[in-house]
Amino acid sequence: MLHSKRCYRFVCYQYILLLYLLAFVAGFYFISWPSSRHAAFIRGGVLLILIVAAVEGLLYWRQDAGRVGPELRAWLRHAPKPGKVLAAGLVALFGYYILQSVFYGDWESVRRVLVVAVFLSCVAFAVLWLDFDVCRLVTLISILGLLFALCYDINTFGSRNQALTSPFRDMASGLDWFASYHNTIIAGLHWSLLALALIWAYTKSRLSSLRLLYLISGCVVLFAVYHTAARTAWVATMFGIAGLFLYADHAARLRLLLLVVPSVLIAALYTLLHPEAVVRKGLTYRDDIWMEHMHKLEGGSDWIFGKGIAALEAFVKLPGGNLAAHPHSIYIESLYSAGLVGLALFVFVLVVAFYCLLDRRIDFKGKGFIGPVMIGATVAMMVDFNGLFDAPNLVWLWFWFPLAVLLAGAIKPKATGVSK
């Protein structure tokens, strides 16, 4: 394989990939960077990966043309079977959405699906090819979390006249250009990812002083997530932390207990004292939204193949006269836009992905973070998220990017024990 050649340019490629992925993640937080430029940067990075891969492939072909076929066949033969099944499932998922969009004459949706597919493929290829250490990226994300915790601490605790025991429905870090949003759910889900990165770093750090810093910062970010009053973010965080337990070793689990036990006790006490904040408005009309979308599926063709990615979704009228902007569930969105076939393919990809995450024979750097993120996303996507194939959004951050890293680890031949 190309990445086995330990040379200077491949080290450079690793750092370039690290910076690209960091910019990809940071673009969701440094919101002074317009989303159109963020999307253009992501597309540019994908193009760069394709160019570099093509150049290196040609060089390798010229030097060892006779070895390319045997090495490729050996790689396909030794790649773990679950990884190959996951890759096949993704090909089927993207292929189905592309064919459906072509059938409906929706060429814009074809482009959107292709953008996501190429991004996922290129990131997976680059991570696999360069044997990229995702732990480095998670460490840098945790530094973003430290910055957010500092900003939130300075701009929140010193200026609150309200009781700290009830949610403020916060959406801002205190800085207009950093991690501040106009929606509590969006804010909470962005901050939740920072919380998981900080908690992961807390369990992995070997320096006690650094562990204390990560612990305090993680608590501040958890406090911020709580004060969004966004229950979707709470769910994603809780299941993500449960996932951290699943992948942690004995020492890391003891450290997690120091954080989780007090948090659980506080959450239980809060639920007893303020049940109306936890169960307010039931599912916040989500059950009505889901039923309305299913009622819109008319006839067998709608139920089997869906209405298409571009089908209007903002038609459910809520109490107060507002329209629900989307189905508030990726699963309902998949059913509505792609029918039972699309939903079945999506669920199949998730099932195989979790099989890969639970398979001890499939190990890769950063699995201890990627797994919990996907666990949190899979549950939270039941009650929120939207735009499976939209421009870079929370689905990219919580689902497509972790899935790309998982795919790289799952198809890596003869994976050996590595640090998580």
Side-chain angles (χ1 to χ4, degrees), residues 263-273:
S263 300
V264 169
L265 292 176
I266 292 171
L269 181 62
Y270 171 75
T271 303
L272 291 173
L273 295 177

mmCIF file of all heavy atoms in Angstrom, residues 263-273:
data_model
loop_
_atom_site.group_PDB
_atom_site.id
_atom_site.type_symbol
_atom_site.label_atom_id
_atom_site.label_comp_id
_atom_site.label_asym_id
_atom_site.label_seq_id
_atom_site.Cartn_x
_atom_site.Cartn_y
_atom_site.Cartn_z
ATOM 1 N N SER A 263 -23.279 14.191 37.890
ATOM 2 C CA SER A 263 -24.158 14.720 36.846
ATOM 3 C C SER A 263 -25.513 14.017 36.864
ATOM 4 O O SER A 263 -26.559 14.659 36.720
ATOM 5 C CB SER A 263 -23.500 14.551 35.475
ATOM 6 O OG SER A 263 -22.272 15.241 35.408
ATOM 7 N N VAL A 264 -25.503 12.697 37.039
ATOM 8 C CA VAL A 264 -26.756 11.942 37.080
ATOM 9 C C VAL A 264 -27.586 12.342 38.293
ATOM 10 O O VAL A 264 -28.817 12.510 38.206
ATOM 11 C CB VAL A 264 -26.466 10.428 37.094
ATOM 12 C CG1 VAL A 264 -27.736 9.636 37.406
ATOM 13 C CG2 VAL A 264 -25.876 9.988 35.759
ATOM 14 N N LEU A 265 -26.927 12.511 39.441
ATOM 15 C CA LEU A 265 -27.652 12.915 40.652
ATOM 16 C C LEU A 265 -28.277 14.300 40.483
ATOM 17 O O LEU A 265 -29.428 14.526 40.863
ATOM 18 C CB LEU A 265 -26.697 12.908 41.852
ATOM 19 C CG LEU A 265 -26.200 11.524 42.291
ATOM 20 C CD1 LEU A 265 -25.178 11.657 43.420
ATOM 21 C CD2 LEU A 265 -27.379 10.653 42.744
ATOM 22 N N ILE A 266 -27.516 15.221 39.881
ATOM 23 C CA ILE A 266 -28.039 16.575 39.652
ATOM 24 C C ILE A 266 -29.204 16.530 38.672
ATOM 25 O O ILE A 266 -30.234 17.199 38.861
ATOM 26 C CB ILE A 266 -26.920 17.498 39.140
ATOM 27 C CG1 ILE A 266 -25.884 17.727 40.247
ATOM 28 C CG2 ILE A 266 -27.487 18.840 38.665
ATOM 29 C CD1 ILE A 266 -24.637 18.446 39.781
ATOM 30 N N ALA A 267 -29.050 15.732 37.588
ATOM 31 C CA ALA A 267 -30.119 15.626 36.587
ATOM 32 C C ALA A 267 -31.384 15.025 37.211
ATOM 33 O O ALA A 267 -32.503 15.486 36.938
ATOM 34 C CB ALA A 267 -29.647 14.770 35.416
ATOM 35 N N ALA A 268 -31.211 14.006 38.057
ATOM 36 C CA ALA A 268 -32.370 13.388 38.706
ATOM 37 C C ALA A 268 -33.057 14.380 39.645
ATOM 38 O O ALA A 268 -34.292 14.480 39.669
ATOM 39 C CB ALA A 268 -31.932 12.141 39.470
ATOM 40 N N LEU A 269 -32.247 15.114 40.408
ATOM 41 C CA LEU A 269 -32.809 16.108 41.328
ATOM 42 C C LEU A 269 -33.549 17.194 40.556
ATOM 43 O O LEU A 269 -34.648 17.612 40.944
ATOM 44 C CB LEU A 269 -31.684 16.717 42.170
ATOM 45 C CG LEU A 269 -32.102 17.769 43.208
ATOM 46 C CD1 LEU A 269 -33.046 17.143 44.240
ATOM 47 C CD2 LEU A 269 -30.878 18.357 43.900
ATOM 48 N N TYR A 270 -32.958 17.625 39.444
ATOM 49 C CA TYR A 270 -33.595 18.671 38.641
ATOM 50 C C TYR A 270 -34.927 18.180 38.067
ATOM 51 O O TYR A 270 -35.924 18.910 38.058
ATOM 52 C CB TYR A 270 -32.668 19.084 37.500
ATOM 53 C CG TYR A 270 -33.350 19.991 36.508
ATOM 54 C CD1 TYR A 270 -33.582 21.328 36.819
ATOM 55 C CD2 TYR A 270 -33.811 19.500 35.295
ATOM 56 C CE1 TYR A 270 -34.244 22.157 35.928
ATOM 57 C CE2 TYR A 270 -34.477 20.316 34.405
ATOM 58 C CZ TYR A 270 -34.686 21.647 34.724
ATOM 59 O OH TYR A 270 -35.343 22.459 33.851
ATOM 60 N N THR A 271 -34.954 16.927 37.609
ATOM 61 C CA THR A 271 -36.181 16.380 37.041
ATOM 62 C C THR A 271 -37.289 16.332 38.084
ATOM 63 O O THR A 271 -38.461 16.603 37.778
ATOM 64 C CB THR A 271 -35.924 14.967 36.483
ATOM 65 O OG1 THR A 271 -34.874 15.027 35.506
ATOM 66 C CG2 THR A 271 -37.174 14.396 35.832
ATOM 67 N N LEU A 272 -36.921 16.007 39.319
ATOM 68 C CA LEU A 272 -37.920 15.975 40.388
ATOM 69 C C LEU A 272 -38.430 17.372 40.724
ATOM 70 O O LEU A 272 -39.620 17.570 40.983
ATOM 71 C CB LEU A 272 -37.320 15.318 41.642
ATOM 72 C CG LEU A 272 -37.041 13.808 41.543
ATOM 73 C CD1 LEU A 272 -36.303 13.331 42.788
ATOM 74 C CD2 LEU A 272 -38.345 13.031 41.369
ATOM 75 N N LEU A 273 -37.522 18.361 40.709
ATOM 76 C CA LEU A 273 -37.896 19.718 41.099
ATOM 77 C C LEU A 273 -38.552 20.492 39.963
ATOM 78 O O LEU A 273 -39.395 21.362 40.209
ATOM 79 C CB LEU A 273 -36.658 20.471 41.585
ATOM 80 C CG LEU A 273 -36.003 19.932 42.863
ATOM 81 C CD1 LEU A 273 -34.737 20.716 43.192
ATOM 82 C CD2 LEU A 273 -36.986 20.001 44.038
#
